[in-house]
Amino acid sequence: MKKNTKDSVRKFMRAEFAKLCHEIVQSDSKSVVMVGDISHFLLRETEKIAPDRFYNIGICEQSMVGMASGMAIEGMRPIIHTIAPFLVERAFEQIKNDIGYQNTEVTIVTVGGTYDYSDLGCTHHCYGDIAMMRLIPNMQVFEPSTPQEFRTLFEKTWGNGLPKYFRLSKEQHSQNFDVEPGVMKVIRESKDDRWAFVSGHLLDDVLESPKVGVIYVPTLSHVTEESCSQIERLVENAKKIYSVENHFTIGGLGDFVSETFGVPVHRIGLERKFLTNYGSFSNLRKDAKLDKRSIIHKLSWI
């Protein structure tokens, strides 16, 4: 599978979101799509086909969450969408109380996690969204890293009655395999009794480290019983276990793995600090010591 440029990948992930919205408003009369003044042009076809179920709420993210929850209580199935820091961080209280506490079936889809919007500075960064969403009881949390992964996870969880969070990135890995909600995917067996759990596009970088076993984790909220048993057998006698994530090392993949299997985890991710400089995505990866070279080095020496 050929790797894509950053701009084309971003279009592919968001284009898949647009396709799904267009399809879901036709197949499910209870569906509603709401945006916070972003992707309005991308979703124009959805608006055309279902103008009574498409709303651009504007820069009013807290209100959008409350409206979506109210619609869900009345039997609708809202999808809400905007940039991660503006939705997850700005409207966290409303997500907690309106969606989480009331356990309403609202699907949250964001873009711009971590430093995807690297050239806009830390106001547009979001390093801890997965940790925040994992705090919400019943919230299902997903980090797909290809358009097909997103489609599969979205379609297989649509209508399940639970709140859901999808973190879309402008980056993706280049591997090709199937995913299932709540399933950890063994990508490569270990050659030295070390295992690395990885989420998102960093999978490609981890695979550059030749001996470590690799387990891909697109669901960060729960694990099926069968998948949990399989992975537990693999890691129970591991010499070392790593987590590699494009997120703070607090509250994300590392904590999820440690809590699930009761094992110590060497966490590779973002340090707990702001990235205050500007630049390209690759620039900020290097500054955060989360570029491929740094990841491979940490997998060799930590």
PDB file of all heavy atoms in Angstrom, residues 17 21 25 31-39 43 46 53-58 60-61 63-72 77-82 87 106-109:
ATOM      1  N   PHE A  17     -15.205  10.308   6.052  1.00  0.00           N
ATOM      2  CA  PHE A  17     -16.209  10.810   6.992  1.00  0.00           C
ATOM      3  C   PHE A  17     -17.389  11.412   6.232  1.00  0.00           C
ATOM      4  O   PHE A  17     -18.561  11.161   6.559  1.00  0.00           O
ATOM      5  CB  PHE A  17     -15.581  11.846   7.926  1.00  0.00           C
ATOM      6  CG  PHE A  17     -16.555  12.565   8.810  1.00  0.00           C
ATOM      7  CD1 PHE A  17     -17.364  11.858   9.686  1.00  0.00           C
ATOM      8  CD2 PHE A  17     -16.659  13.948   8.771  1.00  0.00           C
ATOM      9  CE1 PHE A  17     -18.263  12.522  10.515  1.00  0.00           C
ATOM     10  CE2 PHE A  17     -17.556  14.611   9.596  1.00  0.00           C
ATOM     11  CZ  PHE A  17     -18.360  13.902  10.466  1.00  0.00           C
ATOM     12  N   CYS A  21     -21.294  10.091   6.320  1.00  0.00           N
ATOM     13  CA  CYS A  21     -22.409  10.969   6.674  1.00  0.00           C
ATOM     14  C   CYS A  21     -23.471  10.958   5.581  1.00  0.00           C
ATOM     15  O   CYS A  21     -24.676  10.888   5.858  1.00  0.00           O
ATOM     16  CB  CYS A  21     -21.911  12.395   6.911  1.00  0.00           C
ATOM     17  SG  CYS A  21     -20.986  12.612   8.441  1.00  0.00           S
ATOM     18  N   VAL A  25     -27.334   9.389   6.481  1.00  0.00           N
ATOM     19  CA  VAL A  25     -28.569  10.175   6.497  1.00  0.00           C
ATOM     20  C   VAL A  25     -29.607   9.590   5.537  1.00  0.00           C
ATOM     21  O   VAL A  25     -30.814   9.846   5.679  1.00  0.00           O
ATOM     22  CB  VAL A  25     -28.315  11.662   6.157  1.00  0.00           C
ATOM     23  CG1 VAL A  25     -27.450  12.319   7.223  1.00  0.00           C
ATOM     24  CG2 VAL A  25     -27.711  11.838   4.771  1.00  0.00           C
ATOM     25  N   SER A  31     -30.729   9.689  11.978  1.00  0.00           N
ATOM     26  CA  SER A  31     -29.402  10.303  12.013  1.00  0.00           C
ATOM     27  C   SER A  31     -29.472  11.814  11.821  1.00  0.00           C
ATOM     28  O   SER A  31     -30.329  12.327  11.095  1.00  0.00           O
ATOM     29  CB  SER A  31     -28.502   9.685  10.938  1.00  0.00           C
ATOM     30  OG  SER A  31     -29.034   9.936   9.640  1.00  0.00           O
ATOM     31  N   VAL A  32     -28.567  12.506  12.490  1.00  0.00           N
ATOM     32  CA  VAL A  32     -28.430  13.964  12.389  1.00  0.00           C
ATOM     33  C   VAL A  32     -26.939  14.267  12.340  1.00  0.00           C
ATOM     34  O   VAL A  32     -26.151  13.658  13.066  1.00  0.00           O
ATOM     35  CB  VAL A  32     -29.052  14.683  13.609  1.00  0.00           C
ATOM     36  CG1 VAL A  32     -28.885  16.192  13.480  1.00  0.00           C
ATOM     37  CG2 VAL A  32     -30.508  14.320  13.773  1.00  0.00           C
ATOM     38  N   VAL A  33     -26.541  15.209  11.488  1.00  0.00           N
ATOM     39  CA  VAL A  33     -25.142  15.622  11.394  1.00  0.00           C
ATOM     40  C   VAL A  33     -25.041  17.081  11.817  1.00  0.00           C
ATOM     41  O   VAL A  33     -25.752  17.942  11.296  1.00  0.00           O
ATOM     42  CB  VAL A  33     -24.580  15.445   9.964  1.00  0.00           C
ATOM     43  CG1 VAL A  33     -23.130  15.931   9.895  1.00  0.00           C
ATOM     44  CG2 VAL A  33     -24.682  13.985   9.527  1.00  0.00           C
ATOM     45  N   MET A  34     -24.141  17.347  12.774  1.00  0.00           N
ATOM     46  CA  MET A  34     -23.954  18.703  13.294  1.00  0.00           C
ATOM     47  C   MET A  34     -22.470  19.047  13.271  1.00  0.00           C
ATOM     48  O   MET A  34     -21.637  18.231  13.665  1.00  0.00           O
ATOM     49  CB  MET A  34     -24.491  18.799  14.723  1.00  0.00           C
ATOM     50  CG  MET A  34     -25.925  18.318  14.871  1.00  0.00           C
ATOM     51  SD  MET A  34     -26.451  18.184  16.602  1.00  0.00           S
ATOM     52  CE  MET A  34     -26.628  19.902  17.013  1.00  0.00           C
ATOM     53  N   VAL A  35     -22.138  20.248  12.796  1.00  0.00           N
ATOM     54  CA  VAL A  35     -20.748  20.670  12.737  1.00  0.00           C
ATOM     55  C   VAL A  35     -20.574  22.003  13.447  1.00  0.00           C
ATOM     56  O   VAL A  35     -21.518  22.790  13.544  1.00  0.00           O
ATOM     57  CB  VAL A  35     -20.234  20.779  11.280  1.00  0.00           C
ATOM     58  CG1 VAL A  35     -20.293  19.423  10.590  1.00  0.00           C
ATOM     59  CG2 VAL A  35     -21.017  21.825  10.488  1.00  0.00           C
ATOM     60  N   GLY A  36     -19.359  22.234  13.913  1.00  0.00           N
ATOM     61  CA  GLY A  36     -19.033  23.475  14.585  1.00  0.00           C
ATOM     62  C   GLY A  36     -18.233  24.396  13.686  1.00  0.00           C
ATOM     63  O   GLY A  36     -17.092  24.730  13.985  1.00  0.00           O
ATOM     64  N   ASP A  37     -18.825  24.762  12.574  1.00  0.00           N
ATOM     65  CA  ASP A  37     -18.221  25.698  11.617  1.00  0.00           C
ATOM     66  C   ASP A  37     -16.932  25.153  11.005  1.00  0.00           C
ATOM     67  O   ASP A  37     -15.992  25.896  10.745  1.00  0.00           O
ATOM     68  CB  ASP A  37     -17.950  27.057  12.278  1.00  0.00           C
ATOM     69  CG  ASP A  37     -18.109  28.202  11.289  1.00  0.00           C
ATOM     70  OD1 ASP A  37     -18.897  28.055  10.334  1.00  0.00           O
ATOM     71  OD2 ASP A  37     -17.450  29.242  11.465  1.00  0.00           O
ATOM     72  N   ILE A  38     -16.898  23.834  10.774  1.00  0.00           N
ATOM     73  CA  ILE A  38     -15.773  23.202  10.098  1.00  0.00           C
ATOM     74  C   ILE A  38     -16.337  22.069   9.232  1.00  0.00           C
ATOM     75  O   ILE A  38     -17.365  21.475   9.562  1.00  0.00           O
ATOM     76  CB  ILE A  38     -14.743  22.636  11.101  1.00  0.00           C
ATOM     77  CG1 ILE A  38     -13.540  22.058  10.366  1.00  0.00           C
ATOM     78  CG2 ILE A  38     -15.359  21.596  12.009  1.00  0.00           C
ATOM     79  CD1 ILE A  38     -12.436  21.563  11.272  1.00  0.00           C
ATOM     80  N   SER A  39     -15.694  21.823   8.101  1.00  0.00           N
ATOM     81  CA  SER A  39     -16.101  20.772   7.159  1.00  0.00           C
ATOM     82  C   SER A  39     -17.481  21.014   6.547  1.00  0.00           C
ATOM     83  O   SER A  39     -18.080  20.107   5.980  1.00  0.00           O
ATOM     84  CB  SER A  39     -16.075  19.387   7.831  1.00  0.00           C
ATOM     85  OG  SER A  39     -14.779  19.065   8.282  1.00  0.00           O
ATOM     86  N   LEU A  43     -19.199  18.589   3.622  1.00  0.00           N
ATOM     87  CA  LEU A  43     -20.445  17.867   3.879  1.00  0.00           C
ATOM     88  C   LEU A  43     -21.638  18.456   3.123  1.00  0.00           C
ATOM     89  O   LEU A  43     -22.788  18.198   3.475  1.00  0.00           O
ATOM     90  CB  LEU A  43     -20.731  17.863   5.381  1.00  0.00           C
ATOM     91  CG  LEU A  43     -19.696  17.125   6.246  1.00  0.00           C
ATOM     92  CD1 LEU A  43     -19.921  17.415   7.722  1.00  0.00           C
ATOM     93  CD2 LEU A  43     -19.737  15.632   5.990  1.00  0.00           C
ATOM     94  N   THR A  46     -24.309  16.022   2.000  1.00  0.00           N
ATOM     95  CA  THR A  46     -25.167  15.570   3.101  1.00  0.00           C
ATOM     96  C   THR A  46     -26.240  16.602   3.387  1.00  0.00           C
ATOM     97  O   THR A  46     -27.416  16.269   3.589  1.00  0.00           O
ATOM     98  CB  THR A  46     -24.319  15.326   4.365  1.00  0.00           C
ATOM     99  OG1 THR A  46     -23.379  14.282   4.107  1.00  0.00           O
ATOM    100  CG2 THR A  46     -25.193  14.930   5.548  1.00  0.00           C
ATOM    101  N   ARG A  53     -31.762  17.608   8.574  1.00  0.00           N
ATOM    102  CA  ARG A  53     -30.971  16.850   9.551  1.00  0.00           C
ATOM    103  C   ARG A  53     -29.483  17.188   9.442  1.00  0.00           C
ATOM    104  O   ARG A  53     -28.631  16.372   9.780  1.00  0.00           O
ATOM    105  CB  ARG A  53     -31.206  15.344   9.369  1.00  0.00           C
ATOM    106  CG  ARG A  53     -32.583  14.904   9.854  1.00  0.00           C
ATOM    107  CD  ARG A  53     -32.809  13.412   9.755  1.00  0.00           C
ATOM    108  NE  ARG A  53     -33.034  12.977   8.389  1.00  0.00           N
ATOM    109  CZ  ARG A  53     -32.332  12.034   7.774  1.00  0.00           C
ATOM    110  NH1 ARG A  53     -31.351  11.428   8.403  1.00  0.00           N
ATOM    111  NH2 ARG A  53     -32.617  11.702   6.533  1.00  0.00           N
ATOM    112  N   PHE A  54     -29.190  18.383   8.982  1.00  0.00           N
ATOM    113  CA  PHE A  54     -27.812  18.882   8.945  1.00  0.00           C
ATOM    114  C   PHE A  54     -27.811  20.295   9.514  1.00  0.00           C
ATOM    115  O   PHE A  54     -28.576  21.156   9.079  1.00  0.00           O
ATOM    116  CB  PHE A  54     -27.270  18.898   7.520  1.00  0.00           C
ATOM    117  CG  PHE A  54     -25.870  19.450   7.431  1.00  0.00           C
ATOM    118  CD1 PHE A  54     -24.774  18.608   7.581  1.00  0.00           C
ATOM    119  CD2 PHE A  54     -25.648  20.805   7.242  1.00  0.00           C
ATOM    120  CE1 PHE A  54     -23.475  19.115   7.533  1.00  0.00           C
ATOM    121  CE2 PHE A  54     -24.359  21.323   7.187  1.00  0.00           C
ATOM    122  CZ  PHE A  54     -23.281  20.477   7.329  1.00  0.00           C
ATOM    123  N   TYR A  55     -26.914  20.526  10.491  1.00  0.00           N
ATOM    124  CA  TYR A  55     -26.876  21.831  11.152  1.00  0.00           C
ATOM    125  C   TYR A  55     -25.431  22.290  11.335  1.00  0.00           C
ATOM    126  O   TYR A  55     -24.596  21.537  11.842  1.00  0.00           O
ATOM    127  CB  TYR A  55     -27.537  21.756  12.529  1.00  0.00           C
ATOM    128  CG  TYR A  55     -28.967  21.304  12.507  1.00  0.00           C
ATOM    129  CD1 TYR A  55     -29.267  19.956  12.706  1.00  0.00           C
ATOM    130  CD2 TYR A  55     -30.017  22.194  12.298  1.00  0.00           C
ATOM    131  CE1 TYR A  55     -30.585  19.514  12.684  1.00  0.00           C
ATOM    132  CE2 TYR A  55     -31.329  21.763  12.273  1.00  0.00           C
ATOM    133  CZ  TYR A  55     -31.612  20.421  12.465  1.00  0.00           C
ATOM    134  OH  TYR A  55     -32.904  19.985  12.444  1.00  0.00           O
ATOM    135  N   ASN A  56     -25.159  23.512  10.908  1.00  0.00           N
ATOM    136  CA  ASN A  56     -23.887  24.149  11.240  1.00  0.00           C
ATOM    137  C   ASN A  56     -24.146  25.053  12.432  1.00  0.00           C
ATOM    138  O   ASN A  56     -24.723  26.137  12.305  1.00  0.00           O
ATOM    139  CB  ASN A  56     -23.359  24.961  10.058  1.00  0.00           C
ATOM    140  CG  ASN A  56     -22.019  25.617  10.370  1.00  0.00           C
ATOM    141  OD1 ASN A  56     -21.406  25.352  11.407  1.00  0.00           O
ATOM    142  ND2 ASN A  56     -21.556  26.491   9.489  1.00  0.00           N
ATOM    143  N   ILE A  57     -23.740  24.602  13.606  1.00  0.00           N
ATOM    144  CA  ILE A  57     -24.042  25.309  14.846  1.00  0.00           C
ATOM    145  C   ILE A  57     -23.147  26.531  15.024  1.00  0.00           C
ATOM    146  O   ILE A  57     -23.435  27.423  15.799  1.00  0.00           O
ATOM    147  CB  ILE A  57     -23.897  24.351  16.053  1.00  0.00           C
ATOM    148  CG1 ILE A  57     -24.729  23.082  15.826  1.00  0.00           C
ATOM    149  CG2 ILE A  57     -24.335  25.018  17.350  1.00  0.00           C
ATOM    150  CD1 ILE A  57     -26.198  23.350  15.575  1.00  0.00           C
ATOM    151  N   GLY A  58     -22.045  26.568  14.269  1.00  0.00           N
ATOM    152  CA  GLY A  58     -21.097  27.662  14.415  1.00  0.00           C
ATOM    153  C   GLY A  58     -20.109  27.394  15.538  1.00  0.00           C
ATOM    154  O   GLY A  58     -19.976  26.265  16.020  1.00  0.00           O
ATOM    155  N   CYS A  60     -19.904  27.292  18.596  1.00  0.00           N
ATOM    156  CA  CYS A  60     -20.694  27.146  19.828  1.00  0.00           C
ATOM    157  C   CYS A  60     -20.670  25.676  20.232  1.00  0.00           C
ATOM    158  O   CYS A  60     -21.711  25.005  20.265  1.00  0.00           O
ATOM    159  CB  CYS A  60     -22.133  27.618  19.588  1.00  0.00           C
ATOM    160  SG  CYS A  60     -22.309  29.306  19.017  1.00  0.00           S
ATOM    161  N   GLU A  61     -19.477  25.199  20.510  1.00  0.00           N
ATOM    162  CA  GLU A  61     -19.306  23.762  20.718  1.00  0.00           C
ATOM    163  C   GLU A  61     -20.083  23.231  21.917  1.00  0.00           C
ATOM    164  O   GLU A  61     -20.656  22.134  21.858  1.00  0.00           O
ATOM    165  CB  GLU A  61     -17.815  23.431  20.875  1.00  0.00           C
ATOM    166  CG  GLU A  61     -16.997  23.633  19.625  1.00  0.00           C
ATOM    167  CD  GLU A  61     -16.557  25.080  19.410  1.00  0.00           C
ATOM    168  OE1 GLU A  61     -16.858  25.923  20.285  1.00  0.00           O
ATOM    169  OE2 GLU A  61     -15.917  25.353  18.373  1.00  0.00           O
ATOM    170  N   SER A  63     -22.870  24.373  23.107  1.00  0.00           N
ATOM    171  CA  SER A  63     -24.280  24.309  22.715  1.00  0.00           C
ATOM    172  C   SER A  63     -24.540  23.120  21.797  1.00  0.00           C
ATOM    173  O   SER A  63     -25.586  22.456  21.901  1.00  0.00           O
ATOM    174  CB  SER A  63     -24.692  25.607  22.015  1.00  0.00           C
ATOM    175  OG  SER A  63     -24.581  26.707  22.890  1.00  0.00           O
ATOM    176  N   MET A  64     -23.596  22.839  20.904  1.00  0.00           N
ATOM    177  CA  MET A  64     -23.752  21.721  19.984  1.00  0.00           C
ATOM    178  C   MET A  64     -23.852  20.400  20.753  1.00  0.00           C
ATOM    179  O   MET A  64     -24.689  19.540  20.423  1.00  0.00           O
ATOM    180  CB  MET A  64     -22.589  21.668  18.995  1.00  0.00           C
ATOM    181  CG  MET A  64     -22.684  20.538  17.990  1.00  0.00           C
ATOM    182  SD  MET A  64     -21.534  20.714  16.595  1.00  0.00           S
ATOM    183  CE  MET A  64     -19.951  20.493  17.423  1.00  0.00           C
ATOM    184  N   VAL A  65     -23.031  20.240  21.778  1.00  0.00           N
ATOM    185  CA  VAL A  65     -23.077  19.022  22.583  1.00  0.00           C
ATOM    186  C   VAL A  65     -24.428  18.889  23.281  1.00  0.00           C
ATOM    187  O   VAL A  65     -25.050  17.824  23.275  1.00  0.00           O
ATOM    188  CB  VAL A  65     -21.927  19.004  23.616  1.00  0.00           C
ATOM    189  CG1 VAL A  65     -22.106  17.847  24.601  1.00  0.00           C
ATOM    190  CG2 VAL A  65     -20.582  18.895  22.919  1.00  0.00           C
ATOM    191  N   GLY A  66     -24.900  19.979  23.879  1.00  0.00           N
ATOM    192  CA  GLY A  66     -26.181  19.945  24.565  1.00  0.00           C
ATOM    193  C   GLY A  66     -27.335  19.657  23.628  1.00  0.00           C
ATOM    194  O   GLY A  66     -28.240  18.875  23.947  1.00  0.00           O
ATOM    195  N   MET A  67     -27.300  20.270  22.454  1.00  0.00           N
ATOM    196  CA  MET A  67     -28.356  20.030  21.463  1.00  0.00           C
ATOM    197  C   MET A  67     -28.347  18.571  21.013  1.00  0.00           C
ATOM    198  O   MET A  67     -29.401  17.939  20.886  1.00  0.00           O
ATOM    199  CB  MET A  67     -28.153  20.965  20.269  1.00  0.00           C
ATOM    200  CG  MET A  67     -28.399  22.427  20.573  1.00  0.00           C
ATOM    201  SD  MET A  67     -27.858  23.510  19.229  1.00  0.00           S
ATOM    202  CE  MET A  67     -28.999  23.028  17.937  1.00  0.00           C
ATOM    203  N   ALA A  68     -27.146  18.041  20.763  1.00  0.00           N
ATOM    204  CA  ALA A  68     -27.030  16.653  20.303  1.00  0.00           C
ATOM    205  C   ALA A  68     -27.555  15.685  21.356  1.00  0.00           C
ATOM    206  O   ALA A  68     -28.267  14.720  21.039  1.00  0.00           O
ATOM    207  CB  ALA A  68     -25.579  16.337  19.967  1.00  0.00           C
ATOM    208  N   SER A  69     -27.230  15.949  22.610  1.00  0.00           N
ATOM    209  CA  SER A  69     -27.693  15.077  23.677  1.00  0.00           C
ATOM    210  C   SER A  69     -29.217  15.113  23.786  1.00  0.00           C
ATOM    211  O   SER A  69     -29.871  14.074  23.954  1.00  0.00           O
ATOM    212  CB  SER A  69     -27.073  15.482  25.012  1.00  0.00           C
ATOM    213  OG  SER A  69     -27.516  14.634  26.056  1.00  0.00           O
ATOM    214  N   GLY A  70     -29.782  16.302  23.670  1.00  0.00           N
ATOM    215  CA  GLY A  70     -31.238  16.428  23.714  1.00  0.00           C
ATOM    216  C   GLY A  70     -31.902  15.674  22.582  1.00  0.00           C
ATOM    217  O   GLY A  70     -32.928  15.007  22.778  1.00  0.00           O
ATOM    218  N   MET A  71     -31.322  15.763  21.391  1.00  0.00           N
ATOM    219  CA  MET A  71     -31.864  15.024  20.251  1.00  0.00           C
ATOM    220  C   MET A  71     -31.781  13.518  20.484  1.00  0.00           C
ATOM    221  O   MET A  71     -32.701  12.772  20.149  1.00  0.00           O
ATOM    222  CB  MET A  71     -31.102  15.399  18.979  1.00  0.00           C
ATOM    223  CG  MET A  71     -31.372  16.794  18.475  1.00  0.00           C
ATOM    224  SD  MET A  71     -30.449  17.130  16.951  1.00  0.00           S
ATOM    225  CE  MET A  71     -30.959  18.815  16.610  1.00  0.00           C
ATOM    226  N   ALA A  72     -30.651  13.085  21.071  1.00  0.00           N
ATOM    227  CA  ALA A  72     -30.480  11.652  21.338  1.00  0.00           C
ATOM    228  C   ALA A  72     -31.507  11.157  22.353  1.00  0.00           C
ATOM    229  O   ALA A  72     -32.038  10.045  22.225  1.00  0.00           O
ATOM    230  CB  ALA A  72     -29.063  11.373  21.831  1.00  0.00           C
ATOM    231  N   ARG A  77     -30.078  10.087  16.417  1.00  0.00           N
ATOM    232  CA  ARG A  77     -28.695   9.618  16.537  1.00  0.00           C
ATOM    233  C   ARG A  77     -27.754  10.662  15.941  1.00  0.00           C
ATOM    234  O   ARG A  77     -27.367  10.592  14.775  1.00  0.00           O
ATOM    235  CB  ARG A  77     -28.523   8.282  15.810  1.00  0.00           C
ATOM    236  CG  ARG A  77     -29.252   7.129  16.495  1.00  0.00           C
ATOM    237  CD  ARG A  77     -29.211   5.867  15.681  1.00  0.00           C
ATOM    238  NE  ARG A  77     -29.884   4.777  16.367  1.00  0.00           N
ATOM    239  CZ  ARG A  77     -30.407   3.727  15.759  1.00  0.00           C
ATOM    240  NH1 ARG A  77     -30.335   3.614  14.434  1.00  0.00           N
ATOM    241  NH2 ARG A  77     -31.008   2.781  16.456  1.00  0.00           N
ATOM    242  N   PRO A  78     -27.364  11.635  16.744  1.00  0.00           N
ATOM    243  CA  PRO A  78     -26.549  12.732  16.229  1.00  0.00           C
ATOM    244  C   PRO A  78     -25.076  12.359  16.068  1.00  0.00           C
ATOM    245  O   PRO A  78     -24.509  11.596  16.848  1.00  0.00           O
ATOM    246  CB  PRO A  78     -26.706  13.824  17.290  1.00  0.00           C
ATOM    247  CG  PRO A  78     -27.810  13.361  18.185  1.00  0.00           C
ATOM    248  CD  PRO A  78     -27.819  11.875  18.104  1.00  0.00           C
ATOM    249  N   ILE A  79     -24.466  12.945  15.039  1.00  0.00           N
ATOM    250  CA  ILE A  79     -23.016  12.941  14.837  1.00  0.00           C
ATOM    251  C   ILE A  79     -22.567  14.388  14.993  1.00  0.00           C
ATOM    252  O   ILE A  79     -23.121  15.278  14.331  1.00  0.00           O
ATOM    253  CB  ILE A  79     -22.642  12.439  13.439  1.00  0.00           C
ATOM    254  CG1 ILE A  79     -23.158  11.023  13.192  1.00  0.00           C
ATOM    255  CG2 ILE A  79     -21.137  12.504  13.218  1.00  0.00           C
ATOM    256  CD1 ILE A  79     -23.098  10.591  11.735  1.00  0.00           C
ATOM    257  N   ILE A  80     -21.603  14.648  15.856  1.00  0.00           N
ATOM    258  CA  ILE A  80     -21.096  16.012  16.009  1.00  0.00           C
ATOM    259  C   ILE A  80     -19.619  16.043  15.640  1.00  0.00           C
ATOM    260  O   ILE A  80     -18.878  15.106  15.909  1.00  0.00           O
ATOM    261  CB  ILE A  80     -21.324  16.564  17.433  1.00  0.00           C
ATOM    262  CG1 ILE A  80     -20.652  15.691  18.501  1.00  0.00           C
ATOM    263  CG2 ILE A  80     -22.826  16.662  17.713  1.00  0.00           C
ATOM    264  CD1 ILE A  80     -20.790  16.259  19.912  1.00  0.00           C
ATOM    265  N   HIS A  81     -19.201  17.156  15.027  1.00  0.00           N
ATOM    266  CA  HIS A  81     -17.869  17.184  14.412  1.00  0.00           C
ATOM    267  C   HIS A  81     -17.266  18.586  14.436  1.00  0.00           C
ATOM    268  O   HIS A  81     -17.927  19.559  14.071  1.00  0.00           O
ATOM    269  CB  HIS A  81     -17.985  16.710  12.966  1.00  0.00           C
ATOM    270  CG  HIS A  81     -16.744  16.902  12.151  1.00  0.00           C
ATOM    271  ND1 HIS A  81     -15.567  16.210  12.402  1.00  0.00           N
ATOM    272  CD2 HIS A  81     -16.488  17.714  11.094  1.00  0.00           C
ATOM    273  CE1 HIS A  81     -14.649  16.574  11.518  1.00  0.00           C
ATOM    274  NE2 HIS A  81     -15.179  17.489  10.721  1.00  0.00           N
ATOM    275  N   THR A  82     -16.035  18.665  14.888  1.00  0.00           N
ATOM    276  CA  THR A  82     -15.197  19.841  14.704  1.00  0.00           C
ATOM    277  C   THR A  82     -13.780  19.479  15.135  1.00  0.00           C
ATOM    278  O   THR A  82     -13.460  18.304  15.348  1.00  0.00           O
ATOM    279  CB  THR A  82     -15.732  21.069  15.452  1.00  0.00           C
ATOM    280  OG1 THR A  82     -14.987  22.229  15.046  1.00  0.00           O
ATOM    281  CG2 THR A  82     -15.647  20.920  16.965  1.00  0.00           C
ATOM    282  N   LEU A  87     -13.683  20.923  20.600  1.00  0.00           N
ATOM    283  CA  LEU A  87     -14.815  20.095  21.020  1.00  0.00           C
ATOM    284  C   LEU A  87     -14.524  19.343  22.314  1.00  0.00           C
ATOM    285  O   LEU A  87     -15.267  19.448  23.292  1.00  0.00           O
ATOM    286  CB  LEU A  87     -15.186  19.111  19.905  1.00  0.00           C
ATOM    287  CG  LEU A  87     -16.415  18.236  20.128  1.00  0.00           C
ATOM    288  CD1 LEU A  87     -17.613  19.054  20.581  1.00  0.00           C
ATOM    289  CD2 LEU A  87     -16.753  17.455  18.876  1.00  0.00           C
ATOM    290  N   VAL A 106     -24.547   9.655  21.211  1.00  0.00           N
ATOM    291  CA  VAL A 106     -24.002  10.719  20.366  1.00  0.00           C
ATOM    292  C   VAL A 106     -22.649  10.253  19.852  1.00  0.00           C
ATOM    293  O   VAL A 106     -21.833   9.738  20.619  1.00  0.00           O
ATOM    294  CB  VAL A 106     -23.849  12.038  21.142  1.00  0.00           C
ATOM    295  CG1 VAL A 106     -23.200  13.105  20.269  1.00  0.00           C
ATOM    296  CG2 VAL A 106     -25.198  12.515  21.665  1.00  0.00           C
ATOM    297  N   THR A 107     -22.408  10.406  18.568  1.00  0.00           N
ATOM    298  CA  THR A 107     -21.128  10.027  17.962  1.00  0.00           C
ATOM    299  C   THR A 107     -20.300  11.281  17.747  1.00  0.00           C
ATOM    300  O   THR A 107     -20.689  12.174  16.997  1.00  0.00           O
ATOM    301  CB  THR A 107     -21.346   9.299  16.623  1.00  0.00           C
ATOM    302  OG1 THR A 107     -22.124   8.119  16.846  1.00  0.00           O
ATOM    303  CG2 THR A 107     -20.013   8.921  15.995  1.00  0.00           C
ATOM    304  N   ILE A 108     -19.152  11.346  18.416  1.00  0.00           N
ATOM    305  CA  ILE A 108     -18.247  12.493  18.315  1.00  0.00           C
ATOM    306  C   ILE A 108     -17.124  12.138  17.354  1.00  0.00           C
ATOM    307  O   ILE A 108     -16.440  11.129  17.544  1.00  0.00           O
ATOM    308  CB  ILE A 108     -17.655  12.853  19.697  1.00  0.00           C
ATOM    309  CG1 ILE A 108     -18.775  13.089  20.720  1.00  0.00           C
ATOM    310  CG2 ILE A 108     -16.732  14.055  19.596  1.00  0.00           C
ATOM    311  CD1 ILE A 108     -18.275  13.183  22.157  1.00  0.00           C
ATOM    312  N   VAL A 109     -16.936  12.949  16.330  1.00  0.00           N
ATOM    313  CA  VAL A 109     -15.864  12.732  15.361  1.00  0.00           C
ATOM    314  C   VAL A 109     -15.027  13.998  15.287  1.00  0.00           C
ATOM    315  O   VAL A 109     -15.540  15.076  14.953  1.00  0.00           O
ATOM    316  CB  VAL A 109     -16.413  12.391  13.962  1.00  0.00           C
ATOM    317  CG1 VAL A 109     -15.261  12.143  12.984  1.00  0.00           C
ATOM    318  CG2 VAL A 109     -17.334  11.170  14.016  1.00  0.00           C
TER     319      VAL A 109
END
